[in-house]
Amino acid sequence: MNGIFGKKENLLLPGLLFSVSILLLGIEIILGRGDLPSAVLVLAGVICFLTGVLILILIQRSGIDPELVSYLGVDQILNLSRMFTDLGIHGNACVVLPDATGGPIMQWNPVGRYVPFAPTGEQIFIPGREKNGVFTRPAGSTLFYYLQQNNGLKIPLKEKELFACIKEVGEDLLGIADRVEANRTGDQLVITLAGTSLFAGCACVQQESPRGCELAPCAICSLILCIITTGFQRGVQIDRIQLNESEQRITVLLSILPDNQQKDGEPQMLQK
């Protein structure tokens, strides 16, 4: 487990301040003059020492280890995915537009493969029909709306700016990975989180149930889907999660859903 004091960069500044403090006090001890300049040296040495102590205290109180945070949602993901499976719902999670559901962004898990339709916004489960499934709130929707309301998150509608937004949210705003990348090939999207502090929790889910993340994605993957859905104004389906332990890398593979919805057998264009 990597503790706070295991990172050399966190100790560099306090160590430098302590060294300066020792140097200044040492000069005064050697000179022993007792005049005003000497008093200034002593005062500066004491200030450097106290500043170093304060920085160490602040570092020590920096919060919970991110690796521990990654385990917080594991049980909820596994429980929800198992409930879906027991109900006969085997389709991967889709995040669909608010104007398609008549309310906020929703997660749609179909019984089987995704079939375009006109969502009603109600929770649905009717077995035996391919286009039926269950509506739930995405795990990251509350975080998504919070970032919009309190952190000034603006979702661009242009692809290049949207991918830059995902990178900024992952690297700077949330700080969940050393590098975040988003790429598109046709209707396929690839989101990469390299050097992520969330890897341990994701690996735990994969060990218990390889399909857990596909059926019930965590808050972070769900947040990414919410951002993409809003930016593209199209529903998005999570296809697969790939892990690379040596690089602590998580790769999220997504598909953009068709923009035409079916209602009573007739295609209907989704309003934008």
Side-chain angles (χ1 to χ4, degrees):
M1 180 176 177
N2 294 325
I4 288 295
F5 294 100
K7 298 181 178 180
K8 294 181 180 179
E9 60 269 22
N10 288 332
L11 294 175
L12 180 60
L13 181 56
L16 181 61
L17 289 171
F18 290 146
S19 299
V20 173
S21 174
I22 293 173
L23 177 62
L24 294 175
L25 294 176
I27 291 175
E28 167 55 22
I29 292 174
I30 293 173
L31 295 178
R33 294 168 55 181
D35 54 7
L36 182 59
S38 299
V40 172
L41 286 178
V42 172
L43 180 60
V46 172
I47 291 175
C48 288
F49 179 82
L50 294 178
T51 302
V53 171
L54 178 61
I55 292 175
L56 282 179
I57 293 174
L58 292 176
I59 292 175
Q60 191 174 17
R61 294 170 58 89
S62 62
I64 188 171
D65 191 323
E67 183 176 341
L68 300 181
V69 174
S70 71
Y71 287 102
L72 294 179
V74 169
D75 296 316
Q76 294 172 330
I77 295 171
L78 294 174
N79 288 335
L80 187 56
S81 63
R82 286 168 181 167
M83 283 192 290
F84 282 154
T85 302
D86 290 344
L87 289 171
I89 300 172
H90 302 287
N92 289 3
C94 307
V95 172
V96 293
L97 291 166
D99 58 353
T101 60
I105 289 177
M106 296 295 288
Q107 177 176 310
W108 167 251
N109 284 80
V111 170
R113 66 181 182 87
Y114 176 82
V115 175
F117 74 109
T120 63
E122 301 173 355
Q123 272 197 316
I124 306 170
F125 176 66
I126 306 175
R129 296 183 180 180
E130 191 178 30
K131 69 177 182 180
N132 292 313
V134 167
F135 273 122
T136 55
R137 289 176 56 179
S141 62
T142 299
L143 176 59
F144 175 66
Y145 292 122
Y146 177 87
L147 294 178
Q148 286 183 309
Q149 295 171 6
N150 298 280
N151 290 79
L153 176 62
K154 305 293 183 183
I155 308 301
L157 300 181
K158 295 183 178 180
E159 181 175 302
K160 185 177 181 179
E161 296 174 359
L162 179 65
F163 289 167
C165 173
I166 294 172
K167 179 180 180 66
E168 182 179 354
V169 169
E171 293 181 3
D172 302 326
L173 188 57
L174 300 181
I176 56 173
D178 295 334
R179 188 180 78 257
V180 177
E181 296 179 351
N183 299 287
R184 176 181 180 181
T185 303
D187 285 337
Q188 303 296 315
L189 300 173
V190 179
I191 310 297
T192 303
L193 308 176
T196 176
S197 57
L198 304 176
F199 187 88
C202 295
C204 184
V205 173
Q206 294 274 314
Q207 290 173 1
E208 289 283 336
S209 173
R211 289 212 61 212
C213 295
E214 299 168 6
L215 292 170
C218 69
I220 297 302
C221 287
S222 177
L223 169 65
I224 293 173
L225 265 66
C226 288
I227 293 174
I228 294 174
T229 296
T230 302
F232 280 141
Q233 290 292 287
R234 296 270 294 275
V236 182
Q237 174 180 282
I238 189 164
D239 292 332
R240 194 162 71 254
I241 304 290
Q242 298 176 338
L243 303 183
N244 185 310
E245 184 175 0
S246 62
E247 299 180 9
Q248 297 287 287
R249 185 179 70 231
I250 302 172
T251 303
V252 185
L253 305 178
L254 309 171
S255 294
I256 301 175
L257 298 175
D259 64 352
N260 64 305
Q261 308 294 310
Q262 292 181 350
K263 183 176 182 181
D264 298 328
E266 296 295 330
Q268 178 183 4
M269 295 304 293
L270 190 65
Q271 295 180 354
K272 298 185 177 181

